[in-house]
Amino acid sequence: NYDVYLSDVLLGDGERAPTLMLPGMSGYDENAPHFEYDVEKCREELKKSYWKAEDGRQLFDVGFRMSAVFNVGNTQRQTIAEVLQAGLQEAGPQFVVETVGLPWPAFNRAIRASQVPIFIIGWISDYFDTHNWINAFMVSYYAFKQRFPLESRLEFGNIALEGVQITDPKERDAYYKEVFNPKFHEFASTIVLFHVLNRNYEPRYVKGYYNNPAYSNKWYYTISK
């Protein structure tokens, strides 16, 4: 439920992410295909499942239980898990999501071992370019942790390789919009949420601070009193 998360948790300080890359990057498109909160559509999709129990009952009748895992102490990620939990309960009480908090080392260990059905994570650009996001999420880092099929990794790897070699900015932007964004939406490996709008406060006597979204902390070298 994107609206509830934006209003009740982010207090409006966030922008819905329509696709993987950040605003300002090649391929970012506010009109890219993306999912909306639709409980009835969720029910329809669950009813289409071909899984059956031994007694012939289908998935929608039997339901399931799974874990949504976050690093303990991160209340924002915990709330994401709880919002997901509440949404699936609307689809049917037989669909149970258990929210599980793990210490950071155990959280990372479980993800690396591909033991987690859903994990909540954030990402800060290593460098401000679309390739960093496509490669990390769809080809290498998370693609292995989520056990993408080999053919899918190769497909997205070819897209990433083709895109990063395009030198004309307009052509590169169009390539990601036309080729990557629709395939990313169809593959649906990630529930993309929001670009969070962070704020910073400091006393008036602090000089030299500037906001660099590529850093997860302050760049103290430039700061003085």
Side-chain angles (χ1 to χ4, degrees):
N1 194 326
Y2 302 97
D3 292 340
V4 166
Y5 181 69
L6 177 62
S7 62
D8 293 4
V9 180
L10 297 181
L11 303 180
D13 279 351
E15 295 179 356
R16 178 76 193 278
T19 187
L20 190 58
M21 59 284 288
L22 297 179
M25 289 182 178
S26 297
Y28 178 81
D29 184 4
E30 292 182 353
N31 299 314
H34 59 279
F35 293 101
E36 300 293 347
Y37 184 65
D38 187 336
V39 175
E40 193 52 47
K41 180 66 175 175
C42 177
R43 291 194 188 101
E44 288 178 17
E45 293 296 326
L46 289 166
K47 288 177 181 178
K48 290 178 183 178
S49 172
Y50 55 79
W51 182 90
K52 288 186 178 181
E54 292 181 358
D55 60 6
R57 290 183 301 163
Q58 295 182 308
L59 176 72
F60 192 82
D61 302 314
V62 177
F64 56 70
R65 179 184 296 270
M66 66 178 178
S67 301
V69 183
F70 58 93
N71 53 303
V72 70
N74 191 316
T75 55
Q76 195 170 102
R77 293 179 185 173
Q78 178 180 352
T79 307
I80 292 170
E82 291 169 351
V83 171
L84 179 65
Q85 178 188 57
L88 268 173
Q89 283 285 284
E90 282 194 53
Q94 67 273 36
F95 303 113
V96 179
V97 176
E98 296 176 333
T99 61
V100 179
L102 294 177
W104 184 252
F107 177 69
N108 277 330
R109 198 159 50 241
I111 293 173
R112 281 196 298 268
S114 301
Q115 296 174 334
V116 180
I118 293 181
F119 56 90
I120 293 92
I121 200 74
W123 186 259
I124 297 173
S125 291
D126 298 300
Y127 48 91
F128 194 81
D129 189 88
T130 298
H131 186 69
N132 179 231
W133 291 77
I134 291 180
N135 189 63
F137 275 84
M138 307 307 296
V139 183
S140 58
Y141 191 72
Y142 287 117
F144 283 102
K145 287 173 172 51
Q146 293 178 266
R147 293 187 177 180
F148 286 11
L150 175 61
E151 60 270 23
S152 298
R153 282 196 290 108
L154 291 175
E155 182 181 16
F156 281 107
N158 289 333
I159 292 172
L161 186 62
E162 179 75 21
V164 79
Q165 293 182 88
I166 299 174
T167 56
D168 180 80
K170 290 184 178 179
E171 184 182 341
R172 189 180 183 212
D173 181 64
Y175 175 79
Y176 289 135
K177 288 178 178 177
E178 295 168 9
V179 178
F180 174 77
N181 287 348
K183 286 188 179 296
F184 174 75
H185 175 71
E186 182 182 359
F187 194 62
S189 59
T190 302
I191 303 173
V192 183
L193 296 177
F194 288 88
H195 306 302
V196 179
L197 305 180
N198 291 320
R199 300 177 184 273
N200 184 78
Y201 302 93
E202 66 274 329
R204 293 178 185 272
Y205 57 74
V206 173
K207 307 297 180 184
Y209 172 79
Y210 66 94
N211 181 42
N212 186 337
Y215 291 122
S216 58
N217 210 326
K218 291 182 175 64
W219 182 239
Y220 288 100
Y221 186 81
T222 64
I223 299 176
S224 63
K225 291 200 294 184

Short mmCIF file of all heavy atoms in Angstrom, two decimals, residues 21 25-29 130 159 163 166 168-182:
data_model
loop_
_atom_site.label_atom_id
_atom_site.label_comp_id
_atom_site.label_asym_id
_atom_site.label_seq_id
_atom_site.Cartn_x
_atom_site.Cartn_y
_atom_site.Cartn_z
N MET A 21 16.09 3.11 -11.96
CA MET A 21 17.09 4.16 -11.87
C MET A 21 16.55 5.42 -11.19
O MET A 21 15.34 5.58 -11.03
CB MET A 21 17.67 4.50 -13.24
CG MET A 21 16.66 4.96 -14.26
SD MET A 21 15.63 3.63 -14.95
CE MET A 21 16.77 2.75 -16.00
N MET A 25 18.89 10.19 -14.16
CA MET A 25 19.70 9.18 -14.83
C MET A 25 19.07 8.80 -16.17
O MET A 25 17.87 8.94 -16.38
CB MET A 25 19.82 7.92 -13.97
CG MET A 25 20.67 8.07 -12.74
SD MET A 25 20.79 6.50 -11.83
CE MET A 25 21.88 6.98 -10.49
N SER A 26 19.91 8.27 -17.06
CA SER A 26 19.42 7.78 -18.34
C SER A 26 18.36 6.70 -18.11
O SER A 26 18.57 5.79 -17.31
CB SER A 26 20.57 7.19 -19.16
OG SER A 26 21.52 8.16 -19.47
N GLY A 27 17.24 6.81 -18.79
CA GLY A 27 16.18 5.82 -18.70
C GLY A 27 15.13 6.09 -17.65
O GLY A 27 14.09 5.42 -17.62
N TYR A 28 15.37 7.08 -16.77
CA TYR A 28 14.33 7.39 -15.77
C TYR A 28 13.11 7.93 -16.50
O TYR A 28 13.21 8.82 -17.35
CB TYR A 28 14.84 8.42 -14.76
CG TYR A 28 13.78 8.80 -13.75
CD1 TYR A 28 13.53 7.97 -12.65
CD2 TYR A 28 13.01 9.94 -13.91
CE1 TYR A 28 12.54 8.30 -11.73
CE2 TYR A 28 12.03 10.27 -13.00
CZ TYR A 28 11.80 9.45 -11.92
OH TYR A 28 10.81 9.77 -11.00
N ASP A 29 11.95 7.39 -16.17
CA ASP A 29 10.73 7.73 -16.89
C ASP A 29 9.55 7.69 -15.93
O ASP A 29 9.19 6.62 -15.43
CB ASP A 29 10.52 6.75 -18.05
CG ASP A 29 9.32 7.10 -18.91
OD1 ASP A 29 8.69 8.15 -18.66
OD2 ASP A 29 9.02 6.33 -19.84
N THR A 130 23.07 5.01 -14.48
CA THR A 130 22.08 3.94 -14.59
C THR A 130 22.72 2.56 -14.52
O THR A 130 22.14 1.63 -13.95
CB THR A 130 21.31 4.09 -15.92
OG1 THR A 130 20.61 5.34 -15.91
CG2 THR A 130 20.32 2.97 -16.12
N ILE A 159 21.56 -6.44 -22.00
CA ILE A 159 20.95 -5.11 -22.01
C ILE A 159 21.87 -4.10 -21.33
O ILE A 159 22.09 -2.99 -21.83
CB ILE A 159 19.57 -5.13 -21.32
CG1 ILE A 159 18.58 -5.96 -22.15
CG2 ILE A 159 19.04 -3.71 -21.11
CD1 ILE A 159 17.26 -6.20 -21.45
N GLY A 163 23.63 -0.96 -23.18
CA GLY A 163 23.30 0.39 -22.73
C GLY A 163 24.51 1.20 -22.31
O GLY A 163 24.61 2.39 -22.62
N ILE A 166 26.54 2.91 -25.16
CA ILE A 166 25.95 3.96 -25.99
C ILE A 166 26.47 5.31 -25.52
O ILE A 166 26.31 5.67 -24.35
CB ILE A 166 24.41 3.91 -25.92
CG1 ILE A 166 23.89 2.57 -26.45
CG2 ILE A 166 23.80 5.06 -26.72
CD1 ILE A 166 22.39 2.37 -26.28
N ASP A 168 25.87 8.42 -27.04
CA ASP A 168 24.96 9.55 -27.24
C ASP A 168 23.93 9.55 -26.11
O ASP A 168 23.18 8.58 -25.96
CB ASP A 168 24.27 9.44 -28.59
CG ASP A 168 23.32 10.61 -28.83
OD1 ASP A 168 23.80 11.68 -29.21
OD2 ASP A 168 22.10 10.43 -28.58
N PRO A 169 23.84 10.62 -25.31
CA PRO A 169 22.94 10.63 -24.14
C PRO A 169 21.48 10.40 -24.49
O PRO A 169 20.78 9.66 -23.79
CB PRO A 169 23.16 12.02 -23.54
CG PRO A 169 24.51 12.44 -24.01
CD PRO A 169 24.67 11.84 -25.37
N LYS A 170 21.00 11.03 -25.57
CA LYS A 170 19.59 10.87 -25.95
C LYS A 170 19.30 9.44 -26.41
O LYS A 170 18.27 8.86 -26.08
CB LYS A 170 19.22 11.87 -27.03
CG LYS A 170 19.19 13.31 -26.55
CD LYS A 170 18.72 14.25 -27.65
CE LYS A 170 18.64 15.68 -27.14
NZ LYS A 170 18.19 16.62 -28.21
N GLU A 171 20.24 8.88 -27.16
CA GLU A 171 20.07 7.52 -27.64
C GLU A 171 20.09 6.53 -26.47
O GLU A 171 19.31 5.57 -26.44
CB GLU A 171 21.18 7.18 -28.64
CG GLU A 171 21.04 5.81 -29.28
CD GLU A 171 22.19 5.50 -30.22
OE1 GLU A 171 22.88 6.45 -30.66
OE2 GLU A 171 22.40 4.31 -30.52
N ARG A 172 20.99 6.76 -25.52
CA ARG A 172 21.08 5.88 -24.36
C ARG A 172 19.81 5.96 -23.51
O ARG A 172 19.29 4.95 -23.04
CB ARG A 172 22.31 6.25 -23.52
CG ARG A 172 22.62 5.26 -22.42
CD ARG A 172 23.83 5.68 -21.63
NE ARG A 172 24.16 4.68 -20.63
CZ ARG A 172 24.70 4.96 -19.45
NH1 ARG A 172 24.99 6.20 -19.13
NH2 ARG A 172 24.97 4.00 -18.59
N ASP A 173 19.33 7.16 -23.30
CA ASP A 173 18.10 7.36 -22.53
C ASP A 173 16.94 6.61 -23.18
O ASP A 173 16.17 5.91 -22.51
CB ASP A 173 17.80 8.86 -22.43
CG ASP A 173 16.55 9.15 -21.63
OD1 ASP A 173 16.53 8.85 -20.41
OD2 ASP A 173 15.58 9.69 -22.20
N ALA A 174 16.81 6.74 -24.48
CA ALA A 174 15.73 6.08 -25.21
C ALA A 174 15.87 4.56 -25.14
O ALA A 174 14.87 3.84 -25.03
CB ALA A 174 15.71 6.55 -26.66
N TYR A 175 17.10 4.07 -25.21
CA TYR A 175 17.33 2.61 -25.17
C TYR A 175 16.83 2.02 -23.85
O TYR A 175 16.10 1.01 -23.85
CB TYR A 175 18.82 2.33 -25.34
CG TYR A 175 19.17 0.87 -25.20
CD1 TYR A 175 18.96 -0.03 -26.24
CD2 TYR A 175 19.70 0.37 -24.01
CE1 TYR A 175 19.27 -1.38 -26.12
CE2 TYR A 175 20.02 -0.98 -23.87
CZ TYR A 175 19.81 -1.84 -24.92
OH TYR A 175 20.11 -3.17 -24.78
N TYR A 176 17.18 2.63 -22.74
CA TYR A 176 16.73 2.12 -21.44
C TYR A 176 15.22 2.18 -21.31
O TYR A 176 14.58 1.27 -20.76
CB TYR A 176 17.38 2.89 -20.29
CG TYR A 176 18.85 2.63 -20.10
CD1 TYR A 176 19.74 3.67 -19.90
CD2 TYR A 176 19.36 1.33 -20.10
CE1 TYR A 176 21.10 3.43 -19.71
CE2 TYR A 176 20.71 1.08 -19.92
CZ TYR A 176 21.57 2.14 -19.72
OH TYR A 176 22.91 1.91 -19.53
N LYS A 177 14.63 3.27 -21.80
CA LYS A 177 13.18 3.43 -21.70
C LYS A 177 12.45 2.39 -22.54
O LYS A 177 11.42 1.86 -22.11
CB LYS A 177 12.78 4.84 -22.14
CG LYS A 177 13.16 5.93 -21.13
CD LYS A 177 12.78 7.31 -21.65
CE LYS A 177 13.13 8.38 -20.62
NZ LYS A 177 12.84 9.75 -21.12
N GLU A 178 12.97 2.12 -23.71
CA GLU A 178 12.27 1.22 -24.63
C GLU A 178 12.58 -0.25 -24.39
O GLU A 178 11.71 -1.11 -24.60
CB GLU A 178 12.65 1.59 -26.07
CG GLU A 178 12.17 2.97 -26.49
CD GLU A 178 12.79 3.44 -27.80
OE1 GLU A 178 13.47 2.61 -28.47
OE2 GLU A 178 12.62 4.62 -28.15
N VAL A 179 13.80 -0.54 -23.93
CA VAL A 179 14.22 -1.94 -23.81
C VAL A 179 14.24 -2.42 -22.36
O VAL A 179 13.64 -3.45 -22.03
CB VAL A 179 15.62 -2.15 -24.45
CG1 VAL A 179 16.08 -3.59 -24.28
CG2 VAL A 179 15.59 -1.76 -25.92
N PHE A 180 14.91 -1.66 -21.48
CA PHE A 180 15.05 -2.15 -20.11
C PHE A 180 13.78 -2.02 -19.28
O PHE A 180 13.34 -2.98 -18.63
CB PHE A 180 16.19 -1.42 -19.38
CG PHE A 180 16.29 -1.79 -17.93
CD1 PHE A 180 16.85 -3.00 -17.53
CD2 PHE A 180 15.78 -0.96 -16.94
CE1 PHE A 180 16.91 -3.37 -16.19
CE2 PHE A 180 15.83 -1.32 -15.60
CZ PHE A 180 16.40 -2.52 -15.23
N ASN A 181 13.19 -0.83 -19.26
CA ASN A 181 12.06 -0.58 -18.34
C ASN A 181 10.90 -1.56 -18.51
O ASN A 181 10.39 -2.09 -17.51
CB ASN A 181 11.57 0.86 -18.50
CG ASN A 181 12.53 1.88 -17.90
OD1 ASN A 181 13.46 1.51 -17.18
ND2 ASN A 181 12.32 3.15 -18.20
N PRO A 182 10.46 -1.86 -19.74
CA PRO A 182 9.36 -2.85 -19.86
C PRO A 182 9.75 -4.24 -19.38
O PRO A 182 8.95 -4.93 -18.76
CB PRO A 182 9.06 -2.84 -21.37
CG PRO A 182 9.57 -1.53 -21.87
CD PRO A 182 10.77 -1.24 -21.03
#
